[in-house]
Amino acid sequence: MTIPIMEGWMHRYGRRRIGRSFFHKRYFVLESQVLAYYKRKPFENGRPQVPLKSLNIDGNCRVEDRGLETHHGHAVYVLSVFNKKERAHRITMAAPTIQEQSAWKEVLEQVIDQVNTGSLRIGGQSDTQPKSNNFETERTASSSDRDSQGTGQDDDDENDKKSRLRKGAKGLPDAVHDWSTSAENRKSERAHGARKFWRLVRCQNGLRFFEEIPDGIPTSRYKEMKAVGVVEASCNDIFELIMNMDETRYEWDASFHHGSLVEEVDGHTAIYHHRLELDWFPTFIWPRDLCYSRYWRRNDDGSYVILFVSREHKSCPEQPGCVRAHMESGGYTISPLKPRPGSGEPRSRVQQLVQIDLKGWGIGLLPFCHQHTVIQMLNSIAGLREWFSEGQVPPPMQRVVKMTPEIIEPRKGRKRSAIPASVSMDAISDSADRIMDGMLDDTEDDDDDPVPQITDELFNAAQAKPNEVSVRTPDEEPSSQPSVRLDLSTVRGTLQKGHVETGRNCWSIPSSTLFRVRSKRFLVDRSKCPAGEPLMELLAVDWFKDSKRMDHLARRKGSPAQAAAEKGLFTIAFNVQVPGSAHYSMVFYFVAVKPIVRGSLVHRFVEGDDSYRNSRLKLIPSVPKGSWIVRQSVGSTPCILGKAVDCTYYRGPQYLEVDVDIGSSTVANGVLGLVFGVVTSLVVDMAFLVQGNSTEELPEHLIGAVRISQLELSAAMTPPPEDP
């Protein structure tokens, strides 16, 4: 057995075919190409232990962040590692804190990256690339593979599997409003896209309070307000404290009365009922409550995004004695800061934004009441700062009480202490854990039976590394061969081309300098530079709608890829598939106006295998025009698509199509649920490129970039029929 890269006690998490879940404490060991877990430490009592289960790590493996899960009162952060080509091979592990889960996730992804860079297959031949320890950690959204639930003891039961598929590739559940069927007022949606400026309105309790100054039509009767402050604590601790909705929240959030869970959508999205504690003339002003969707995400730089938006839910109707407020936009961003000079204590920048309509006639007659209430909510950052200044440690993540009529019904003279307490992980004693583990191990321990064919010799053999051969690749500079002139008037897609600044319901080509890519010295100083001219030219964009997911559109008759092939041009098509009550596909066709240099990154991407493509295809998103909640949910961090969502590749004679299934990612589904109703107000930029990992592959060059401006869902066309 070689020296482990990482090891430690974690929880083995899963669900059996009969629907019974299990939650075992196991010792996990990660080596260079094998992940395994044991019932005890591998060399306990001086004898090597046989792993209960192991998984070979190769380029087809994927790390799935399932977010928060609960089991018998336990709240844990779940991580799943599986092989996309062998669905039955899966190991699901859980950690009590997000720090532990993030550490394992980061190391696992680095190991997969090293395997990918260590072996590359081009045209049936295996070329080995030099390994580098300098990997940039790109943001990889958590995802749920459309067929990720394999067979065997790791599988969820059939009902749970159908539920996960319904929340993932089959579209959003009923609890989350489907943005594709929204009929919001278009004028209001366009207003959401107006640029926003912020004006400092006051400084109070060590915080700065800002008010929105929209450059355009006002988006709402009430403006967005935000507060910014510095908290002397780590991002992880602040995140866990904000996510908790137990009695601890009374110590730092003056606007919190009580909260309860309505529905868990997935590990990153849930629906909550929240009763506000208002102190502005409580005798005359009725209490306010909220029903909202909460979505969270952890970025690989250690920052967090927590977003809120109001939702209607059949299990959370308006309550007697309360006025249902409407949270139009809100949430927190938590970013790490450098420690103060001479002090190693962590610091974080916390920003909270609130745009809320408190409803009711009293608020309209007393405009100062609204501002006072919003500032009361934003002052929670000051509460966080004071709470951590006392040296307190956030309690373990607790299971939020499920919403019941007794919890939500207002009662006169009710005190906060009468609110039912949440169940803590620490409330279950160690003896109870041992009893539960023993019962499961004795009755149904088939998942922990030693695998006879896994021996120490085979285990060690899996660690053997292939001989490294350095292969120098040509630069991606434009070829000296003459470019091909394109007659764009003869090749068009279903979506029209428009002006880059003022266009609406159209596509355009943004300046490539808006995107920052790895520079030539990235491996030395991690520097980035504005991108140069794209290697390929955007020919056309298709916008389709159908009752089922649309795959391999480039082969259909009349597609721009077929038209370009007739002119002798090679095309790379990106088919972005969006689930919903109806399925949408937006296809970007990039053509090579100059021959692709043999041996270049783009050539290796086109001719390589799926493992190489998944590890290198990168997307850089940007939202130059959109509301705060949309910009925060989408972000602007580069994303390795093969790690974030399912990508399927179709290689034709003169094209390569990449089908990007947005529905395979739980995080992406959460984003879709948050931005519904404002899709026609957004301006979104996307740049596609192949990531460079060695000095010879730098600087990076864009395949191409596209801007989509204020898209109309009704403009989607029916795709051409498939060839018989």
Side-chain angles (χ1 to χ4, degrees):
M1 184 174 180
T2 60
I3 299 176
I5 298 174
M6 191 169 184
E7 60 182 335
W9 290 102
M10 296 279 283
H11 293 284
R12 168 81 172 87
Y13 179 84
R15 191 182 300 273
R16 306 185 188 283
R17 289 182 180 275
I18 61 174
R20 186 179 181 182
S21 60
F22 57 86
F23 191 71
H24 298 168
K25 190 174 182 179
R26 297 291 179 257
Y27 196 83
F28 285 79
V29 176
L30 174 63
E31 299 191 19
S32 59
Q33 291 182 350
V34 173
L35 173 65
Y37 65 86
Y38 304 77
K39 202 162 189 175
R40 302 177 183 85
K41 289 187 177 182
F43 289 96
E44 193 173 55
N45 300 327
R47 295 185 302 174
Q49 302 289 324
V50 178
L52 300 175
K53 188 172 183 179
S54 62
L55 175 69
N56 289 333
I57 303 296
D58 58 25
N60 295 313
C61 287
R62 180 167 150 193
V63 184
E64 174 188 357
D65 179 5
R66 290 193 181 180
L68 277 170
E69 298 282 353
T70 57
H71 173 80
H72 292 296
H74 293 258
V76 293
Y77 297 90
V78 181
L79 199 65
S80 184
V81 187
F82 61 94
N83 191 302
K84 291 184 287 187
K85 290 190 175 181
E86 300 178 25
R87 304 290 183 177
H89 289 69
R90 171 186 293 268
I91 290 180
T92 304
M93 53 205 297
T97 64
I98 196 168
Q99 296 97 316
E100 295 181 54
Q101 187 229 38
S102 301
W104 277 94
K105 181 175 182 289
E106 180 179 353
V107 173
L108 282 165
E109 288 179 343
Q110 287 181 357
V111 171
I112 295 173
D113 286 342
Q114 290 173 352
V115 172
N116 282 325
T117 56
S119 177
L120 171 64
R121 185 175 301 276
I122 299 180
Q125 298 180 355
S126 178
D127 293 334
T128 305
Q129 297 299 317
K131 291 190 177 182
S132 172
N133 293 327
N134 297 317
F135 289 104
E136 177 189 17
T137 306
E138 307 287 0
R139 187 190 77 184
T140 55
S142 308
S143 58
S144 175
D145 195 274
R146 71 177 75 127
D147 296 321
S148 62
Q149 304 304 307
T151 59
Q153 60 273 11
D154 283 333
D155 293 350
D156 294 344
D157 61 291
E158 290 301 317
N159 292 334
D160 186 62
K161 178 177 178 180
K162 292 178 181 178
S163 175
R164 287 177 58 82
L165 290 174
R166 184 171 63 253
K167 297 171 185 175
K170 300 301 181 183
L172 298 174
D174 295 336
V176 178
H177 191 89
D178 188 351
W179 64 270
S180 63
T181 60
S182 176
E184 299 288 334
N185 183 275
R186 300 306 181 191
K187 182 178 180 180
S188 175
E189 291 174 354
R190 288 193 292 270
H192 270 278
R195 288 191 304 163
K196 292 182 175 62
F197 300 92
W198 296 96
R199 177 174 63 90
L200 181 66
V201 293
R202 71 170 63 182
C203 292
Q204 177 181 312
N205 296 330
L207 306 179
R208 291 177 297 156
F209 293 86
F210 296 87
E211 186 179 64
E212 166 203 3
I213 305 178
D215 182 18
I217 304 174
T219 62
S220 172
R221 179 182 176 184
Y222 300 102
K223 298 179 180 179
E224 293 181 355
M225 292 190 68
K226 70 176 181 179
V228 181
V230 176
V231 179
E232 302 285 342
S234 67
C235 293
N236 294 325
D237 289 343
I238 298 172
F239 167 77
E240 292 194 349
L241 188 60
I242 291 176
M243 294 288 283
N244 260 326
M245 297 187 72
D246 61 351
E247 295 86 351
T248 310
R249 198 175 188 97
Y250 300 139
E251 301 178 16
W252 61 270
D253 189 354
S255 65
F256 178 77
H257 184 275
H258 75 259
S260 55
L261 175 67
V262 178
E263 180 186 353
E264 286 182 326
V265 180
D266 54 47
H268 291 267
T269 308
I271 312 295
Y272 287 91
H273 175 260
H274 187 158
R275 169 86 175 268
L276 297 174
E277 182 76 13
L278 306 182
D279 59 2
W280 182 273
F281 291 111
T283 305
F284 303 99
I285 303 298
W286 279 33
R288 261 60 178 177
D289 68 346
L290 292 163
C291 180
Y292 62 87
S293 172
R294 185 183 74 180
Y295 160 83
W296 68 273
R297 180 183 75 239
R298 183 185 190 275
N299 298 325
D300 284 340
D301 61 355
S303 62
Y304 290 89
V305 175
I306 306 173
L307 302 176
F308 309 127
V309 63
S310 282
R311 288 287 183 266
E312 293 183 0
H313 196 281
K314 61 182 179 181
S315 299
C316 185
E318 295 185 8
Q319 304 303 312
C322 281
V323 176
R324 178 60 53 87
H326 181 76
M327 178 74 75
E328 298 182 12
S329 179
Y332 295 86
T333 60
I334 312 167
S335 306
L337 296 176
K338 292 182 179 180
R340 297 185 186 277
S343 172
E345 297 297 325
R347 297 192 308 153
S348 302
R349 180 181 184 269
V350 183
Q351 177 181 242
Q352 182 182 6
L353 181 139
V354 171
Q355 184 181 22
I356 187 172
D357 185 354
L358 293 172
K359 303 291 186 179
W361 63 270
I363 301 297
L365 295 178
L366 302 172
F368 288 104
C369 177
H370 181 273
Q371 187 181 43
H372 175 86
T373 301
V374 173
I375 290 178
Q376 179 186 350
M377 298 172 68
L378 295 176
N379 261 313
S380 64
I381 299 180
L384 287 169
R385 186 187 61 230
E386 295 302 316
W387 194 91
F388 281 105
S389 67
E390 298 177 357
Q392 301 190 66
V393 179
M397 184 64 67
Q398 299 182 350
R399 179 171 59 88
V400 181
V401 177
K402 191 76 173 180
M403 182 179 181
T404 62
E406 294 182 356
I407 295 177
I408 61 177
E409 183 179 358
R411 298 177 182 176
K412 294 184 178 180
R414 182 176 184 178
K415 298 181 180 180
R416 287 186 174 188
S417 59
I419 298 171
S422 300
V423 180
S424 170
M425 290 182 62
D426 294 338
I428 300 179
S429 64
D430 293 338
S431 60
D433 280 336
R434 288 193 294 269
I435 293 174
M436 183 182 69
D437 271 349
M439 291 176 60
L440 291 176
D441 287 341
D442 292 340
T443 56
E444 296 180 3
D445 57 350
D446 54 333
D447 68 303
D448 287 340
D449 286 340
V451 183
Q453 63 271 24
I454 302 295
T455 63
D456 288 341
E457 290 76 9
L458 291 177
F459 195 84
N460 292 330
Q463 319 307 315
K465 298 181 180 180
N467 296 329
E468 297 184 0
V469 180
S470 177
V471 177
R472 184 178 181 87
T473 59
D475 290 337
E476 297 280 4
E477 296 299 330
S479 171
S480 59
Q481 302 184 40
S483 59
V484 180
R485 287 187 173 273
L486 292 177
D487 184 4
L488 297 179
S489 62
T490 61
V491 182
R492 294 182 179 179
T494 59
L495 191 66
Q496 64 179 352
K497 185 178 181 180
H499 192 273
V500 69
E501 294 293 340
T502 61
R504 177 175 176 79
N505 192 33
C506 64
W507 65 271
S508 56
I509 302 177
S511 172
S512 58
T513 58
L514 297 176
F515 305 95
R516 297 185 63 81
V517 298
R518 294 180 173 184
S519 68
K520 189 69 176 178
R521 293 180 52 83
F522 175 81
L523 299 180
V524 178
D525 54 14
R526 319 295 288 181
S527 62
K528 292 190 176 184
C529 61
E533 287 298 316
L535 300 174
M536 305 181 75
E537 184 172 335
L538 182 58
L539 176 63
V541 176
D542 276 333
W543 178 224
F544 292 134
K545 175 183 177 181
D546 204 351
S547 58
K548 60 181 180 179
R549 192 178 67 236
M550 292 158 278
D551 300 326
H552 202 175
L553 290 170
R555 69 176 175 181
R556 301 193 184 187
K557 186 177 180 180
S559 74
Q562 297 294 334
E566 294 176 359
K567 298 178 178 292
L569 302 179
F570 186 85
T571 304
I572 298 181
F574 296 97
N575 177 10
V576 181
Q577 301 168 328
V578 182
S581 57
H583 290 262
Y584 291 86
S585 275
M586 179 161 285
V587 193
F588 310 110
Y589 301 92
F590 295 94
V591 296
V593 294
K594 295 182 179 180
I596 299 176
V597 178
R598 183 172 182 82
S600 65
L601 270 179
V602 174
H603 177 263
R604 290 155 55 192
F605 173 77
V606 171
E607 302 298 338
D609 58 13
D610 290 355
S611 174
Y612 177 77
R613 293 165 176 162
N614 285 331
S615 67
R616 293 298 189 98
L617 179 59
K618 184 191 294 185
L619 169 69
I620 305 178
S622 176
V623 183
K625 190 175 182 181
S627 63
W628 180 87
I629 193 170
V630 173
R631 294 196 303 271
Q632 292 298 326
S633 60
V634 174
S636 59
T637 308
C639 171
I640 303 298
L641 282 177
K643 297 180 182 178
V645 294
D646 283 352
C647 294
T648 307
Y649 304 89
Y650 300 98
R651 181 69 164 90
Q654 283 290 332
Y655 67 85
L656 171 68
E657 179 176 331
V658 184
D659 287 359
V660 183
D661 184 8
I662 302 298
S664 64
S665 167
T666 56
V667 170
N669 275 323
V671 172
L672 291 179
L674 288 170
V675 302
F676 81 96
V678 295
V679 63
T680 61
S681 69
L682 302 180
V683 175
V684 180
D685 290 348
M686 290 175 283
F688 299 91
L689 66 156
V690 182
Q691 178 171 280
N693 286 340
S694 64
T695 304
E696 293 79 9
E697 298 171 346
L698 298 176
E700 293 177 329
H701 294 266
L702 301 182
I703 294 176
V706 60
R707 170 171 291 182
I708 302 298
S709 301
Q710 300 176 334
L711 184 67
E712 293 283 353
L713 297 178
S714 58
M717 307 291 289
T718 303
E722 298 185 51
D723 295 335

